[in-house]
Amino acid sequence: MTLPDRILMALGALAGLLGVAASARAAHGAGADSLKTAAQFLLFHAPALLGLVALAATGATHRLLTRLAAAALVVGLALFSGDLALRALHGTPLFAMAAPTGGVLLMGGWLLAAVAAFVPVRGRS
């Protein structure tokens, strides 16, 4: 497994960890709805990131596109979930339009994953 794959895998695992932590905090505090949404997005995307890394590492899909899809999901999660969590916990946004930008990146990541499924991999059909 390459270093980029290891980094993406670690970030996927971190998304899972933060999703569990945010879920626990949302169960016991103010701003629970926004924090719960952030937690759900983290928890939904953590296994997707791990799956994309596995596909890229094994060469089952086009490696570059699959890694770009995973990277888009990571950045999208950081912006979307990060903005929601900061608003819930500290009452301040990450920056203007962080959540919508993150949402667009998440959608783009999923689209790239779909495209990667159909781009031929050298040596495979």
Side-chain angles (χ1 to χ4, degrees):
M1 188 180 307
T2 66
L3 181 60
D5 292 332
R6 291 179 188 279
I7 291 169
L8 288 168
M9 183 175 176
L11 291 171
L14 183 60
L17 178 145
L18 292 172
V20 172
S23 292
R25 177 67 171 86
H28 301 288
D33 287 340
S34 291
L35 197 54
K36 194 179 292 185
T37 299
Q40 289 172 339
F41 269 73
L42 288 162
L43 290 170
F44 295 156
H45 287 85
L49 285 166
L50 299 177
L52 287 171
V53 169
L55 290 168
T58 61
T61 57
H62 190 277
R63 284 189 170 127
L64 178 60
L65 285 178
T66 304
R67 287 178 183 135
L68 286 173
L73 292 182
V74 166
V75 175
L77 277 177
L79 293 176
F80 184 83
S81 295
D83 188 63
L84 291 180
L86 272 175
R87 287 175 190 268
L89 298 171
H90 299 291
T92 180
L94 185 59
F95 60 84
M97 299 297 290
T101 302
V104 169
L105 281 169
L106 288 168
M107 290 185 277
W110 284 107
L111 180 60
L112 278 172
V115 170
F118 290 102
V119 172
V121 178
R122 281 189 220 144
R124 293 189 180 198
S125 53

